Amino acid sequence: MNTDFPANLHGIIPPVVTPLTPDFQVDEPSLRRVIKHLLDGGVHGLFLLGSTSEVVFMDAPQRREVLRIAVDEVAGRVPLLAGVIDPTTDRVIAHARDARDAGVDGLVVTAPFYARTSQTEIVEHFRAVHEAVGLPIMAYDIPVCVQVKLERPTLRQMRREGLIVGLKDSSGDDTNFRLLARECADDPEFRMFTGSELMVDTAFMVGAHGCVPGLGNVDPAAYVALYDAAQREDWREARQIQERLIRLFAVALQGTPRTSAGASGVGGFKAAMRLMNLITHHHMNRPNLPLNDQEMERVRAILEAEGLMVHA
Amino acid sequence: MNTDFPANLHGIIPPVVTPLTPDFQVDEPSLRRVIKHLLDGGVHGLFLLGSTSEVVFMDAPQRREVLRIAVDEVAGRVPLLAGVIDPTTDRVIAHARDARDAGVDGLVVTAPFYARTSQTEIVEHFRAVHEAVGLPIMAYDIPVCVQVKLERPTLRQMRREGLIVGLKDSSGDDTNFRLLARECADDPEFRMFTGSELMVDTAFMVGAHGCVPGLGNVDPAAYVALYDAAQREDWREARQIQERLIRLFAVALQGTPRTSAGASGVGGFKAAMRLMNLITHHHMNRPNLPLNDQEMERVRAILEAEGLMVHA
Amino acid sequence: MNTDFPANLHGIIPPVVTPLTPDFQVDEPSLRRVIKHLLDGGVHGLFLLGSTSEVVFMDAPQRREVLRIAVDEVAGRVPLLAGVIDPTTDRVIAHARDARDAGVDGLVVTAPFYARTSQTEIVEHFRAVHEAVGLPIMAYDIPVCVQVKLERPTLRQMRREGLIVGLKDSSGDDTNFRLLARECADDPEFRMFTGSELMVDTAFMVGAHGCVPGLGNVDPAAYVALYDAAQREDWREARQIQERLIRLFAVALQGTPRTSAGASGVGGFKAAMRLMNLITHHHMNRPNLPLNDQEMERVRAILEAEGLMVHA
Amino acid sequence: MNTDFPANLHGIIPPVVTPLTPDFQVDEPSLRRVIKHLLDGGVHGLFLLGSTSEVVFMDAPQRREVLRIAVDEVAGRVPLLAGVIDPTTDRVIAHARDARDAGVDGLVVTAPFYARTSQTEIVEHFRAVHEAVGLPIMAYDIPVCVQVKLERPTLRQMRREGLIVGLKDSSGDDTNFRLLARECADDPEFRMFTGSELMVDTAFMVGAHGCVPGLGNVDPAAYVALYDAAQREDWREARQIQERLIRLFAVALQGTPRTSAGASGVGGFKAAMRLMNLITHHHMNRPNLPLNDQEMERVRAILEAEGLMVHA
């Protein structure tokens, strides 16, 4: 593992999908195959139990199971981050203790949700988790799910107080991300990751240290190549890879009005991964509807066009 | 208990606050005092584990504890509804089984949250809970917390399919509530409750069967009197009571920017209830900040003005 | 005319639709028929050049033409209010001077739009219009069109400074309307009108002095009867009339995704009025699409069901 | 002028601020100085009567005056685009005819506003303007002002039908901009401009042909240098210039809650330009509040830090 964690956390850290058995339990062989696929692709870390992992669909035993498998499978080769995502502080702390006991390297924490929370209370939330568990914490800004923005002054206060080591930004507000990167320019150990799949080259150009792409489950090596190109400041190459990944992202856009964004998005990644023989089943947890046969065919066509279907 | 449940569910069914001990456990003596206070006030039912009860802050054992105490204390005198509120379907089902085993009469279910869900998937969510547990289900429309509206066609479909027995509407969209009441006029067993504290007289006028007022924790008898006046179509009296309750609602508005809506609102109810010697401590679960001394004094002044402070 | 204007402004004051000729000019004979229809229905005032009148589609000469016709046709029998609606202060003042010169009794003013404006700047806006023209001003709260709420403290400040005589509330926030009515209870000359068509009985119950219903163009007498019932506190009668008007409001809901809310709403009123032979053409200004034949037939069926189609 | 207009429209095309006299008329000498300043800075075109120009505050004669001065001052050296921004179709057409008669090269058209409009009606709006005037039209996507997004399918339909020649994107949705750029990759004559001031280097990297930066009024040469660096694919240089321009953008962020975004933003540009002796007065149209002395001092400090204050 990275010997300078978390000060040097960087690169491609995909949010690992959680393959399921037909009765909605963690499909261990499939999860191990996914992790091997990601490590073979050269990723720099793994983020278990994120939104893409369907974390909020899982109870505590299922979450522990995912972490047990991941810690065992990774065996210290890359840093392991665990999302500890639930509505409120003490429930998050309970997950955080489980994650620590499972042996992960760091935690990913969102603002509280369902109950609305002030920016002051958000700081209290992170402080309580930090004090209870002590592992390095990445703040996870995802207003589309939690309805509140981690504002720049809030993030800077939490950094000053030593509560967080970095940010995963899934807000889609690229301008704000850049402004924060500038404000933290004198603090290079504050690690900034974008959650975007489609604006990764530009995120690297404006100062991101890494990326947490859901689509990285499907093609991790391409995101790693994009990262490498960005490190070389070969922006032409970076853009070319990004453009191909935008085409590939269409696998996550095959849903219809009956399906939600999640069922189209994560459901699309899972569909692709099943077609690539990485996982055995492509359904998500309830109530998300799985892609139907017609939608699966469209996913297959996209994979074939991008050279990701392996034929025996 | 009401012998015609749920077809005749009606009246004032407060969402019961959850008093806490200093270490954030359920304060059983205080909770029993609150329930006695509500039953003495003449309420027609109790709603445990709602938003006002801080349900999303509680883990499964704490939720079971609340239900155990409530079922014991109420002893069948009024219907008991239990919120089974968590982000996703199978976690809701787990809570629903606990609630059924505890002996409640019905469940209150929101749309899934954190993960975004289509209206079709929302129907699947309610269907799964219904099939797993079988207790009568009230749909709980609270977009401010779950980010999605239970649309009228969705509610009507769920009613047609027998998945729900009524609605608790905390959307604040009074026009939509009225339109739904009209659409359900030929289905009097579909029971419509408003979650408003401030528009209760008008909700009754447009067809509500009942009300779930958080402020009912502080002054249940006044809401019962309002309900009775509405039943007599004595709208002048109903309005007069409502106007006083609007003044009293100021206890929930004493927070400052440092506190969230919840910390001001539920925190204000708890502050009032502590000053009325109903509960021992007024703090909420983390990360909600409690009202400070100055805010408590303002709450005390409101209670005194409305004749709710008892002096030895 | 009301001899105690504006202190006693009250009742049903419809926003008068603007009938158009095929080349998008004001159709004077139709407009005169509409005004007669409204006065025959017993309305207590007229609001020309509101949103329902398509005011923002009209240039200054067209607006002056509407006011010339209305002042002439009404001949002082009821108060005439004129909307002076355009994005910014000095353009509003120009319209306000035209309206004053045309002889209207009062103005209706929104917050500025397109350019975003602070609450302080909104007060400056109303102050400038007030100082430039001197006519009584109703504040028009319509955030769905102008993107900013006239907040209660802003309205109270403007009232204290003598800038406004009342409010037309088209915000749909009935709770806020009631809270403002309470705050102004000691200022009975501050006149509060709801812009709702569907919650008029309840608006009267919580303190509204009047209503500005677009649907009043179609059936003014029914709204007048609703007002009269409310004045007698005959809420059963008021509600019964309101329920019928909700059914009739379906004329404004026959559009499809190709049509906007305006094209369905105002377009639906115009369609009904053409079928009732009140106006000659039912199209709106560009780019609003007119209802097609199938939609017109649905409007006709609604009118027939509600007894509003006159057959020779 | 560019001999291949509009197929080759490109580069830095600032939205020209409109300097005002104390009585809110167009300050011709100041406007001429601003235009000279911009042309001296090397800009590739000028956009008169945009949001930054306070267009919606101006009546038709004031707008004609601005265009008269600009056409005269520019004398054909660069393309001149004119915003024709008002709420509805026929009013926009009236401005468009004035602009054509004044001799501009192209028009900039937003979706209708105040009245809400469907995507179908938006196409009708652009079609009507196109048919009435015939000048090349840039679509202007600015949902923060008009409340509706020009969706990608709408833009592509308008392009297919020959209604528009390009896009000015002020939506802040950089991902959507990139996806549109990809979709239009086989149509290089469709010209894509970003309205961002802060993400210009990345916009060029993902395919923008140009930029319309309000801050370009203050430092046009820097944006031209940024464009040139991007053309050379010297992204390190482009980013360095962009970072300095982000620091300079602080002139637009000195307002307080009393001032709106416009009064802080455009007001900040004007404040800077007055301090640089480009314009004589820095106030905006009513009701926007001008920066006060303390705020002006902060603007001055920023200009000095960035080397833009000229001392005699």
Side-chain angles (χ1 to χ4, degrees):
Chain A
M1 194 190 107
N2 193 318
T3 55
D4 192 17
F5 177 86
N8 191 30
L9 192 68
H10 68 272
I12 305 303
I13 305 184
V16 184
V17 302
T18 306
L20 299 176
T21 65
D23 58 343
F24 300 102
Q25 296 307 308
V26 179
D27 174 353
E28 177 164 350
S30 289
L31 179 55
R32 289 186 181 271
R33 282 203 300 278
V34 171
I35 292 173
K36 280 180 194 141
H37 169 65
L38 297 173
L39 294 178
D40 288 350
V43 302
H44 306 83
L46 293 180
F47 172 30
L48 281 303
L49 301 179
S51 307
T52 300
S53 319
E54 304 175 57
V55 61
V56 295
F57 296 83
M58 285 188 265
D59 61 18
Q62 290 168 317
R63 297 184 190 199
R64 286 192 293 261
E65 176 76 350
V66 165
L67 296 183
R68 180 191 63 76
I69 296 166
V71 168
D72 179 68
E73 186 67 35
V74 171
R77 285 175 285 175
V78 298
L80 264 188
L81 303 177
V84 287
I85 300 178
D86 241 350
T88 51
T89 303
D90 285 281
R91 298 178 74 189
V92 167
I93 288 173
H95 293 304
R97 288 182 173 135
D98 281 353
R100 182 191 56 195
D101 294 348
V104 305
D105 302 296
L107 305 175
V108 182
V109 175
T110 70
F113 54 95
Y114 188 89
R116 290 156 290 160
T117 309
S118 69
Q119 296 287 314
T120 304
E121 290 168 340
I122 289 171
V123 175
E124 292 308 308
H125 175 72
F126 278 86
R127 189 192 322 282
V129 180
H130 172 73
E131 291 177 355
V133 181
L135 280 184
I137 292 175
M138 298 282 284
Y140 186 178
D141 189 30
I142 186 161
V144 74
C145 289
V146 304
Q147 301 195 67
V148 64
K149 176 88 182 151
L150 298 178
E151 296 177 0
R152 294 206 308 276
T154 301
L155 288 166
R156 293 205 311 274
Q157 177 185 349
M158 295 201 293
R159 177 60 178 167
R160 275 196 311 274
E161 300 191 14
L163 307 182
I164 57 175
V165 302
L167 169 71
K168 185 208 162 184
D169 180 2
S170 294
S171 72
D173 186 342
D174 295 338
T175 303
N176 187 71
F177 183 83
R178 180 177 211 158
L179 296 179
L180 183 67
R182 283 178 42 79
E183 292 171 2
C184 298
D186 59 349
D187 177 13
E189 296 190 2
F190 184 74
R191 308 309 281 178
M192 294 190 57
F193 283 69
T194 178
S196 175
E197 275 110 350
L198 307 179
M199 298 292 278
V200 182
D201 50 353
T202 55
F204 284 130
M205 203 165 92
V206 304
H209 302 100
C211 175
V212 184
L215 184 62
N217 283 282
V218 179
D219 195 349
Y223 278 102
V224 171
L226 198 168
Y227 174 75
D228 290 341
Q231 291 305 106
R232 296 190 308 269
E233 296 189 49
D234 184 347
W235 300 111
R236 186 174 287 193
E237 170 79 2
R239 183 182 174 192
Q240 194 169 32
I241 299 168
Q242 178 66 85
E243 295 289 325
R244 177 180 161 274
L245 286 167
I246 292 175
R247 292 196 304 270
L248 181 59
F249 189 73
V251 299
L253 302 171
Q254 299 310 313
T256 60
R258 91 195 152 82
T259 43
S260 57
S264 299
V266 175
F269 299 151
K270 282 190 156 182
M273 294 168 84
R274 200 197 82 183
L275 292 168
M276 295 164 71
N277 291 323
L278 291 168
I279 64 177
T280 305
H281 307 283
H282 74 283
H283 61 281
M284 297 178 66
N285 282 284
R286 301 193 291 179
N288 282 310
L289 296 171
L291 296 196
N292 62 26
D293 288 350
Q294 185 178 12
E295 292 157 351
M296 289 294 283
E297 280 314 300
R298 294 203 301 264
V299 170
R300 181 193 301 272
I302 296 160
L303 293 175
E304 288 187 339
E306 300 306 327
L308 288 172
M309 284 299 291
V310 182
H311 296 283
Chain B
M1 194 192 109
N2 195 317
T3 56
D4 191 16
F5 177 86
N8 190 30
L9 193 67
H10 67 272
I12 304 304
I13 304 185
V16 185
V17 301
T18 306
L20 299 176
T21 64
D23 58 343
F24 301 101
Q25 296 306 308
V26 179
D27 175 352
E28 177 165 348
S30 289
L31 179 55
R32 289 185 181 271
R33 282 203 301 279
V34 170
I35 292 174
K36 281 180 193 142
H37 169 65
L38 296 173
L39 294 178
D40 288 350
V43 302
H44 306 83
L46 293 180
F47 172 31
L48 281 304
L49 302 178
S51 307
T52 301
S53 318
E54 304 174 56
V55 61
V56 295
F57 295 85
M58 285 187 267
D59 60 18
Q62 290 169 315
R63 297 184 189 200
R64 287 194 292 263
E65 175 77 351
V66 165
L67 295 183
R68 180 189 64 75
I69 296 166
V71 167
D72 179 69
E73 186 67 36
V74 170
R77 286 175 287 174
V78 297
L80 265 187
L81 303 176
V84 288
I85 300 178
D86 242 350
T88 51
T89 303
D90 285 281
R91 298 178 74 189
V92 167
I93 288 173
H95 293 304
R97 289 183 172 134
D98 282 352
R100 182 190 56 194
D101 296 346
V104 305
D105 301 296
L107 305 175
V108 182
V109 175
T110 71
F113 53 94
Y114 188 88
R116 290 156 290 160
T117 309
S118 70
Q119 296 287 314
T120 304
E121 290 168 338
I122 288 171
V123 175
E124 292 307 308
H125 175 71
F126 277 86
R127 190 194 320 283
V129 180
H130 172 74
E131 290 178 355
V133 181
L135 281 183
I137 292 176
M138 298 282 284
Y140 186 177
D141 189 31
I142 186 162
V144 73
C145 290
V146 304
Q147 302 196 67
V148 66
K149 175 90 183 148
L150 298 178
E151 296 176 1
R152 293 206 308 276
T154 301
L155 287 167
R156 292 205 313 273
Q157 177 185 349
M158 297 201 292
R159 177 60 178 167
R160 276 196 310 275
E161 299 191 15
L163 308 181
I164 58 175
V165 301
L167 169 70
K168 187 210 161 183
D169 179 3
S170 294
S171 72
D173 186 341
D174 296 336
T175 302
N176 187 70
F177 184 82
R178 180 177 212 157
L179 295 179
L180 183 67
R182 282 178 43 79
E183 292 171 2
C184 297
D186 60 349
D187 177 12
E189 297 190 1
F190 184 74
R191 310 308 283 177
M192 293 190 57
F193 283 69
T194 178
S196 176
E197 277 109 351
L198 307 179
M199 298 292 279
V200 183
D201 50 353
T202 54
F204 284 130
M205 203 165 93
V206 304
H209 301 100
C211 175
V212 184
L215 185 62
N217 283 282
V218 178
D219 195 348
Y223 277 102
V224 171
L226 197 168
Y227 174 73
D228 291 341
Q231 292 304 105
R232 296 190 308 270
E233 297 190 50
D234 184 347
W235 300 112
R236 187 173 286 192
E237 171 78 2
R239 183 182 174 190
Q240 195 170 30
I241 299 168
Q242 178 67 85
E243 294 289 324
R244 177 180 161 276
L245 286 165
I246 292 175
R247 293 197 302 272
L248 181 60
F249 189 74
V251 299
L253 302 171
Q254 299 309 313
T256 60
R258 90 193 153 82
T259 44
S260 58
S264 300
V266 176
F269 300 151
K270 283 190 155 182
M273 295 170 84
R274 198 196 85 184
L275 292 169
M276 295 164 72
N277 291 322
L278 291 168
I279 64 176
T280 304
H281 307 284
H282 74 282
H283 61 280
M284 297 178 66
N285 281 286
R286 302 192 290 179
N288 282 309
L289 297 171
L291 297 195
N292 62 26
D293 290 350
Q294 185 179 11
E295 292 157 351
M296 287 294 282
E297 282 311 301
R298 294 202 301 263
V299 170
R300 180 192 301 273
I302 296 161
L303 292 175
E304 290 187 337
E306 300 306 327
L308 288 172
M309 284 299 292
V310 182
H311 296 285
Chain C
M1 192 193 111
N2 194 318
T3 56
D4 191 17
F5 178 88
N8 191 30
L9 192 68
H10 67 272
I12 305 304
I13 305 185
V16 185
V17 302
T18 306
L20 299 175
T21 64
D23 59 342
F24 300 103
Q25 296 306 310
V26 179
D27 174 353
E28 177 164 349
S30 289
L31 179 55
R32 288 185 181 271
R33 283 203 301 279
V34 170
I35 293 173
K36 280 180 194 142
H37 170 65
L38 297 173
L39 294 178
D40 289 349
V43 302
H44 306 83
L46 293 180
F47 172 31
L48 282 302
L49 301 179
S51 307
T52 300
S53 318
E54 303 175 56
V55 60
V56 296
F57 296 84
M58 286 188 266
D59 61 19
Q62 290 168 315
R63 297 184 190 201
R64 286 193 293 262
E65 175 76 350
V66 165
L67 295 183
R68 180 189 65 75
I69 296 166
V71 168
D72 179 67
E73 186 66 35
V74 170
R77 285 175 287 175
V78 297
L80 265 187
L81 303 177
V84 288
I85 300 178
D86 241 350
T88 51
T89 303
D90 285 281
R91 299 178 73 189
V92 167
I93 288 173
H95 293 303
R97 289 184 171 131
D98 282 353
R100 183 190 55 196
D101 295 347
V104 306
D105 301 296
L107 305 175
V108 182
V109 175
T110 70
F113 53 95
Y114 188 88
R116 289 156 291 160
T117 310
S118 69
Q119 296 288 315
T120 304
E121 290 168 340
I122 288 171
V123 175
E124 293 308 307
H125 175 71
F126 277 87
R127 190 193 320 283
V129 180
H130 172 73
E131 290 178 355
V133 181
L135 280 184
I137 291 175
M138 298 282 284
Y140 186 177
D141 189 30
I142 187 162
V144 74
C145 290
V146 304
Q147 300 197 69
V148 65
K149 176 89 183 150
L150 298 179
E151 296 177 0
R152 294 207 309 277
T154 301
L155 288 166
R156 292 205 313 275
Q157 177 185 348
M158 296 201 292
R159 177 61 178 167
R160 275 196 311 274
E161 299 190 15
L163 308 181
I164 58 175
V165 301
L167 169 70
K168 188 210 161 184
D169 180 2
S170 294
S171 72
D173 186 342
D174 296 336
T175 302
N176 188 70
F177 183 82
R178 178 176 213 159
L179 296 179
L180 183 68
R182 282 177 45 78
E183 292 171 1
C184 297
D186 60 348
D187 177 11
E189 295 189 2
F190 184 74
R191 309 307 283 177
M192 293 189 59
F193 283 69
T194 178
S196 176
E197 276 110 351
L198 307 179
M199 298 292 281
V200 183
D201 50 353
T202 54
F204 284 130
M205 201 165 94
V206 304
H209 301 100
C211 176
V212 184
L215 184 62
N217 283 282
V218 178
D219 195 348
Y223 277 101
V224 171
L226 197 168
Y227 174 74
D228 291 342
Q231 292 304 107
R232 295 190 308 270
E233 297 189 51
D234 184 348
W235 300 111
R236 189 174 284 191
E237 170 80 1
R239 183 184 172 188
Q240 196 170 31
I241 298 168
Q242 178 67 84
E243 294 290 325
R244 177 181 161 274
L245 287 166
I246 292 174
R247 293 197 302 271
L248 181 59
F249 189 74
V251 299
L253 302 171
Q254 300 308 315
T256 60
R258 90 194 152 82
T259 44
S260 57
S264 300
V266 176
F269 299 151
K270 284 190 154 182
M273 295 169 83
R274 199 196 84 185
L275 292 169
M276 295 165 70
N277 291 323
L278 291 168
I279 64 177
T280 303
H281 306 284
H282 74 281
H283 61 281
M284 297 178 66
N285 281 286
R286 301 193 289 180
N288 282 310
L289 296 171
L291 297 196
N292 62 27
D293 289 350
Q294 186 179 10
E295 293 157 349
M296 288 293 282
E297 281 312 300
R298 293 202 301 263
V299 170
R300 179 193 301 272
I302 296 160
L303 293 176
E304 289 187 338
E306 300 306 326
L308 288 172
M309 284 299 293
V310 182
H311 295 285
Chain D
M1 194 192 107
N2 193 317
T3 54
D4 191 15
F5 179 86
N8 191 29
L9 192 68
H10 68 272
I12 305 304
I13 304 185
V16 184
V17 302
T18 306
L20 300 176
T21 64
D23 58 345
F24 300 102
Q25 297 307 310
V26 179
D27 175 353
E28 177 164 350
S30 288
L31 179 54
R32 288 185 181 271
R33 281 203 301 279
V34 170
I35 293 173
K36 280 181 194 141
H37 169 66
L38 297 173
L39 294 178
D40 288 350
V43 301
H44 307 83
L46 293 180
F47 172 30
L48 281 303
L49 301 178
S51 307
T52 300
S53 317
E54 303 174 56
V55 61
V56 295
F57 295 85
M58 285 188 265
D59 60 19
Q62 290 169 316
R63 297 185 190 199
R64 287 193 292 262
E65 175 76 350
V66 164
L67 296 183
R68 180 191 63 76
I69 296 165
V71 168
D72 179 69
E73 186 67 34
V74 170
R77 285 175 286 175
V78 297
L80 264 187
L81 304 177
V84 288
I85 300 178
D86 241 350
T88 52
T89 303
D90 285 281
R91 298 177 73 189
V92 167
I93 288 173
H95 293 304
R97 289 183 173 133
D98 282 353
R100 181 191 55 194
D101 295 347
V104 306
D105 302 296
L107 304 175
V108 182
V109 174
T110 70
F113 52 95
Y114 187 88
R116 289 156 290 160
T117 310
S118 69
Q119 296 287 315
T120 305
E121 290 168 339
I122 289 171
V123 175
E124 292 308 307
H125 174 72
F126 278 86
R127 189 192 322 282
V129 180
H130 172 73
E131 290 178 355
V133 182
L135 281 183
I137 292 176
M138 299 281 283
Y140 186 178
D141 189 31
I142 187 162
V144 74
C145 289
V146 304
Q147 300 196 68
V148 65
K149 175 88 183 151
L150 297 178
E151 295 177 1
R152 294 206 308 275
T154 301
L155 288 167
R156 293 204 312 273
Q157 178 186 348
M158 297 200 293
R159 176 59 178 167
R160 276 196 310 274
E161 298 190 16
L163 308 182
I164 57 176
V165 301
L167 169 72
K168 186 208 162 185
D169 180 1
S170 294
S171 71
D173 187 342
D174 296 336
T175 303
N176 187 70
F177 183 83
R178 180 177 211 156
L179 295 179
L180 182 68
R182 281 177 45 78
E183 292 171 2
C184 297
D186 60 348
D187 176 12
E189 296 190 3
F190 183 75
R191 308 309 280 178
M192 295 190 56
F193 283 69
T194 178
S196 176
E197 276 110 350
L198 307 178
M199 299 291 281
V200 182
D201 50 352
T202 55
F204 284 130
M205 203 164 92
V206 303
H209 301 101
C211 176
V212 184
L215 185 62
N217 284 281
V218 178
D219 195 349
Y223 277 102
V224 171
L226 197 169
Y227 174 74
D228 290 341
Q231 291 304 106
R232 296 190 307 270
E233 296 189 51
D234 183 348
W235 300 112
R236 187 174 286 192
E237 170 79 2
R239 182 182 174 189
Q240 194 169 32
I241 299 167
Q242 178 66 86
E243 295 288 325
R244 177 181 160 275
L245 287 166
I246 292 175
R247 291 196 304 270
L248 180 61
F249 189 74
V251 299
L253 302 171
Q254 300 309 315
T256 61
R258 92 194 151 82
T259 43
S260 57
S264 300
V266 176
F269 299 151
K270 283 190 155 182
M273 295 168 84
R274 199 196 84 183
L275 292 168
M276 294 164 70
N277 290 324
L278 291 168
I279 64 177
T280 304
H281 307 283
H282 74 284
H283 61 280
M284 297 177 66
N285 281 286
R286 301 193 291 178
N288 281 311
L289 296 170
L291 296 196
N292 62 27
D293 289 350
Q294 185 178 12
E295 292 157 351
M296 288 293 283
E297 281 313 300
R298 293 203 301 264
V299 170
R300 179 192 302 272
I302 296 161
L303 292 175
E304 289 187 337
E306 300 306 327
L308 288 173
M309 284 299 291
V310 181
H311 297 284

